[in-house]
Amino acid sequence: MTLHAVYHELYSAPLPSTHRFPMAKFRLLRRLLLDEQVLQANQIRRPLSIPRRDLERIHRRSYHQAFSRDQLSRSEQRRIGLPATRPLVQRTWLSVGGTLLTARLALQHGIACHLAGGTHHAHPGFGSGFCIFNDVATTARVLLDNGEVQRLLVVDLDVHQGDGTAACFADEPRITTLSVHAASNFPLRKVASDIDIPLEDATGDDDYLAAIGDRLPQVLDDQQPDLVLFNAGVDPHRDDRLGRLELSDEGLLRRDRLVLDAALRRSIPIATVIGGGYDELMPLVRRHAIVIRAAVEQARLFGLS
């Protein structure tokens, strides 16, 4: 069994030491997975930057050029919360390409994991909430436009509602967006997904898992997608600084198993991205590793290679 994963050493672009976005988590996640032999180095593929024509299937040229040239207004930069340094611009383009490569590996092998991705607050014409380009939305659009898939399901389990992805596909019947999130959390103004499951603050493992388990299997049966794109954000964890839900490590593992199993037992390929998480670095990195561990386990159970 070989699980295919995607990572680039430029993902951890330097930020000021006081910045609250945990940019080092990507580098540390790869190291943890290799050190603990969850993955071997030969399982990890390096992405290329996505071509401009593909990015523009989702994002306006005026926006991506202004970002890449550091020409956004002060308010636009503040809304994103990240500086447009040259390393950050490079890692942003690479990360979108990484999710696209992950999706194509999943279509080929049944399952694949990106050690980054999940920038679901990025809209066609602006970025928000540490999200610059929407990697999942761009990937979905490229695959559809190229005829690589006919129907696609986005399962977004980040604690924050996937407003950018919902906005990108408000009028696209071939893509179903499902978001399970803390109702009172960011963004203040939600954009309706096809299926939204808002949860009360302090929702714990059992109620959270029941909310997903009651809906996801039926959605998969009804939609019969050719691919699932799964945002496995770990910010629903009880210790997350920007969360408000009460999941445990075990709850995150059970959640990821549930989603992966629901897709794979229906022979639907699934690609995962790590999504959000905000805590001290090593506890956070261990949480992000949970979906990779679950994917390795499920690939073995289903005999995928």
Side-chain angles (χ1 to χ4, degrees):
M1 187 286 301
T2 299
L3 177 76
H4 299 270
V6 176
Y7 169 82
H8 199 287
E9 59 270 16
L10 296 179
Y11 281 174
S12 288
L15 287 176
S17 60
T18 56
H19 200 285
R20 65 175 179 167
F21 186 82
M23 189 67 79
K25 70 180 184 178
F26 309 106
R27 170 176 50 83
L28 295 174
L29 176 59
R30 174 188 175 275
R31 180 186 300 170
L32 176 73
L33 294 169
L34 293 176
D35 286 350
E36 299 192 355
Q37 299 186 341
V38 179
L39 297 176
Q40 301 299 316
N42 62 4
Q43 294 175 251
I44 302 176
R45 301 274 295 274
R46 295 171 80 246
L48 299 174
S49 293
I50 196 164
R52 190 184 73 178
R53 66 180 180 278
D54 283 344
L55 189 71
E56 290 177 358
R57 297 174 196 266
I58 289 294
H59 292 291
R60 298 169 193 159
R61 181 174 300 184
S62 59
Y63 167 59
H64 79 70
Q65 286 186 344
F67 164 70
S68 297
R69 297 171 181 174
D70 194 16
Q71 294 174 346
L72 294 176
S73 70
R74 189 168 299 177
S75 63
E76 289 170 326
Q77 289 180 336
R78 189 163 53 245
R79 186 171 192 169
I80 292 172
L82 292 167
T85 62
R86 186 169 182 176
L88 189 73
V89 170
Q90 188 172 16
R91 71 91 49 209
T92 299
W93 285 81
L94 281 167
S95 183
V96 180
T99 295
L100 180 58
L101 175 58
T102 305
R104 286 176 167 151
L105 288 168
L107 288 170
Q108 182 179 356
H109 299 284
I111 188 170
C113 298
H114 192 191
L115 308 189
T119 46
H120 61 165
H121 298 309
H123 289 238
F126 63 89
S128 176
F130 303 139
C131 299
I132 299 164
F133 300 152
N134 194 313
D135 60 301
V136 167
T138 304
T139 291
R141 175 58 67 193
V142 169
L143 295 177
L144 275 176
D145 287 355
N146 289 347
E148 296 172 73
V149 298
Q150 301 303 313
R151 293 195 60 81
L152 198 146
L153 172 65
V154 177
V155 176
D156 191 335
L157 303 189
D158 192 282
V159 80
H160 306 106
Q161 196 247 3
D163 60 321
T165 309
C168 291
F169 298 128
D171 300 315
E172 177 48 83
R174 297 173 296 173
I175 297 176
T176 300
T177 53
L178 184 158
S179 177
V180 182
H181 51 270
S184 64
N185 212 324
F186 180 89
L188 178 62
R189 293 187 179 89
K190 311 293 193 283
V191 177
S193 308
D194 294 305
I195 303 166
D196 279 307
I197 304 177
L199 301 174
E200 296 298 317
D201 286 5
T203 297
D205 290 351
D206 290 343
D207 289 340
Y208 182 95
L209 291 163
I212 299 167
D214 288 346
R215 294 297 297 277
L216 180 60
Q218 190 62 53
V219 172
L220 289 167
D221 290 338
D222 290 345
Q223 299 298 322
Q224 298 184 12
D226 300 310
L227 176 69
V228 173
L229 295 175
F230 172 30
N231 182 338
V234 298
D235 38 14
H237 193 273
R238 61 170 61 123
D239 294 330
D240 194 88
R241 292 171 178 166
L242 302 180
R244 297 189 184 174
L245 301 185
E246 293 287 334
L247 268 66
S248 65
D249 286 1
E250 179 65 22
L252 288 173
L253 177 60
R254 290 166 60 197
R255 176 198 74 173
D256 295 346
R257 285 173 172 164
L258 187 161
V259 175
L260 294 168
D261 178 80
L264 294 176
R265 71 172 48 254
R266 291 166 173 80
S267 299
I268 300 170
I270 183 165
T272 75
V273 297
I274 68 170
Y278 306 90
D279 198 355
E280 297 298 324
L281 267 173
M282 287 317 299
L284 174 61
V285 167
R286 291 196 173 277
R287 280 173 220 149
H288 280 309
I290 288 172
V291 70
I292 316 299
R293 296 181 190 274
V296 169
E297 172 190 273
Q298 293 295 309
R300 184 176 295 115
L301 285 172
F302 284 92
L304 302 175
S305 59

